[in-house]
């Protein structure tokens, strides 16, 4: 007997093909589009975003072609609180959050999954590029599109009620299949960046909500080398957009090394000063096997992976890298892998 599956349909090609595959496999599928914006735009801005009226219409048309019931769920208030306000608060605290990861954790696999189970559904299916075999999460065959990192925060219980039908396909194969199925989203551009910042101006978005406050940019010795209008407009590892009045003596570019929100100070220095080998994280979420063979950690979405070792401590996790990483920012997730399999994740607190 097939499962009752709620297919989350963003209006893009991936979620449409995922829903079609689940339906074709004989499951009882219902499509749902999440309305995440209280005042959605009529059209997307370039390839940014996934929460417009146009996207909801694309999702509905795809559901019609597949032949499944379709609904729109208003999640705007929950999204505003758990994702947008969290994003702003994290930057205000000098950390660098990942809103896509938070959306998966708090919206798609908390609010939506909870409601789906309460309504009698067995699972939620999404168009994420990741594999899920017997409840164990691993990387997609398409390394360039792999999204296991942003799913690494999910618990075993949540993964036990999830379906990711695209894990064995490349993005090119998904688009070809969408065209064969007559889905009009086959050639639709991917959404990217932060969906609730349609113009891509993160600094402007934060300034509008946190205001402007003049502060110093200092070098590692504490000497003032420039000024800024808000420390929340920077992230560790950033090179561009720094208002530096005094060039480095060696003429080399400077990077953001740290952000201190209390004193509103941004510290800059050479790229070599960004290198870290020890990462301290908060309480981990273990969602895979406990094996430690071929252990690696990924520190950013689509970022490089690093061979590592880890040690659990009271209330947290310490990760030792076999080679230094750069641009490691507090607030990001450290996702641990054994080979291609996700074993757990934790939020980065500090790095040295």
């Amino acid at each position: 007997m097939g499962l009752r599956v709620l297919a989350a349909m963003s209006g893009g090609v991936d979620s449409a093909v995922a829903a079609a595959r689940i339906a074709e496999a004989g499951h009882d599928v219902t499509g749902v589009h999440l309305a995440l914006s209280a005042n959605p735009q009529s059209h997307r801005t370039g390839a940014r975003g996934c929460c417009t009226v146009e996207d909801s219409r694309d999702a509905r048309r795809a559901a019609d072609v597949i032949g499944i019931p379709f609904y729109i769920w208003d999640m705007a208030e929950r999204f505003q609180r758990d994702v947008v306000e969290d994003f702003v608060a994290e930057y205000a605290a000098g950390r660098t959050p990942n809103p896509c990861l938070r959306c998966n954790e708090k919206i798609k696999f908390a609010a939506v999954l909870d409601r789906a189970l309460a309504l009698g559904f067995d699972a939620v299916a999404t168009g994420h590029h990741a594999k899920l075999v017997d409840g164990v999460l691993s990387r997609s065959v398409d390394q360039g599109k792999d999204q296991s990192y942003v799913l690494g925060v999910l618990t075993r219980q949540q993964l036990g009620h999830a379906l990711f039908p695209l894990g064995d396909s490349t993005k090119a194969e998904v688009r070809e299949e969408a065209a064969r199925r007559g889905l009009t989203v086959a050639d639709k551009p991917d959404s990217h960046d932060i969906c609730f910042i349609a113009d891509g101006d993160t600094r402007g978005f934060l300034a509008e909500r946190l205001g402007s406050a003049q502060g110093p940019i200092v070098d590692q010795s504490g000497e003032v080398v420039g000024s800024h209008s808000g420390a929340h407009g920077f992230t560790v590892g950033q090179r561009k957009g720094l208002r530096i009045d005094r060039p480095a003596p060696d003429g080399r570019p400077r990077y953001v090394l740290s952000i201190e929100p209390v004193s509103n100070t941004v510290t800059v220095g050479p790229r070599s000063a960004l290198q870290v080998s020890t990462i301290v994280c908060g309480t981990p979420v273990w969602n895979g096997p406990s094996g430690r063979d071929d252990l690696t950690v990924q520190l950013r979405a689509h970022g490089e992976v690093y061979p590592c070792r880890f040690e659990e401590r009271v209330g947290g996790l310490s990760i030792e890298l076999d080679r230094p990483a750069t641009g490691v920012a507090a607030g990001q997730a450290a996702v641990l892998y054994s080979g291609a399999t996700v074993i757990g994740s934790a939020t980065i607190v500090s790095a040295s």
Side-chain angles (χ1 to χ4, degrees), residues 52-334:
T52 67
V53 172
E54 179 185 344
D55 292 310
S56 66
R57 290 171 180 166
D58 286 343
R60 183 180 295 277
R61 282 191 288 266
D64 288 343
V65 171
I66 298 166
I68 59 175
F70 177 82
Y71 298 91
I72 295 177
W73 284 2
D74 184 355
M75 291 281 178
E77 184 176 340
R78 180 77 179 259
F79 183 79
Q80 176 68 27
R81 182 182 74 242
D82 290 347
V83 179
V84 179
E85 291 178 7
D86 173 82
F87 177 83
V88 174
E90 286 291 283
Y91 264 100
R95 296 185 288 268
T96 305
N98 185 314
C100 294
L101 186 149
R102 191 68 66 238
C103 184
N104 286 328
E105 177 188 18
K106 299 293 187 180
I107 304 299
K108 294 174 183 173
F109 292 96
V112 173
L113 179 58
D114 288 348
R115 184 184 294 187
L117 294 177
L119 291 172
F121 288 94
D122 300 302
V124 169
T126 71
H128 286 99
H129 282 262
K131 284 186 177 183
L132 192 58
V133 180
D134 296 328
V136 177
L137 180 67
S138 63
R139 293 192 184 278
S140 164
V141 298
D142 189 336
Q143 294 298 304
K145 292 294 182 180
D146 174 59
Q147 293 175 294
S148 60
Y149 173 87
V150 295
L151 297 168
V153 293
L154 302 184
T155 65
R156 285 190 177 97
Q157 188 273 339
Q158 290 170 327
L159 290 172
H161 292 283
L163 296 172
F164 305 129
L166 305 186
D168 288 316
S169 301
T170 66
K171 186 58 178 268
E173 290 169 342
V174 170
R175 289 195 180 280
E176 290 171 3
E177 181 176 336
R180 290 197 307 270
R181 291 181 180 274
L183 297 169
T184 59
V185 291
D187 295 321
K188 186 174 181 178
D190 291 339
S191 60
H192 64 88
D193 294 330
I194 301 170
C195 70
F196 53 85
I197 306 179
D199 61 1
D201 183 9
T202 301
R203 182 177 291 185
F205 177 87
L206 292 169
E208 183 178 336
R209 285 151 182 80
L210 296 174
S212 299
Q214 290 294 317
I217 297 177
V218 303
D219 63 17
Q220 291 170 283
S221 69
E223 181 180 357
V224 176
V225 297
S227 64
H228 62 80
S229 57
H232 52 258
F234 300 86
T235 186
V236 171
Q238 180 178 332
R239 174 186 172 183
K240 297 181 179 180
L242 306 183
R243 299 176 182 175
I244 296 178
D245 301 324
R246 299 182 183 181
D250 60 7
R252 294 183 178 179
R254 286 168 164 165
Y255 298 78
V256 174
L257 303 182
S258 65
I259 302 158
E260 174 46 61
V262 175
S263 63
N264 198 28
T265 300
V266 175
T267 301
V268 298
R271 181 176 174 80
S272 59
L274 283 171
Q275 293 187 336
V276 300
S277 296
T278 302
I279 300 170
V280 176
C281 301
T283 304
V285 173
W286 299 116
N287 50 23
S290 59
R292 300 196 180 196
D293 294 331
D294 192 20
L295 194 66
T296 59
V297 65
Q298 186 170 330
L299 305 171
R300 283 185 181 271
H302 305 296
E304 188 177 355
V305 297
Y306 298 86
C308 69
R309 291 157 283 119
F310 71 84
E311 179 182 352
E312 286 192 76
R313 297 179 176 178
V314 177
L317 194 69
S318 177
I319 302 173
E320 295 292 332
L321 306 180
D322 288 0
R323 67 174 188 276
T326 59
V328 179
Q332 292 282 303

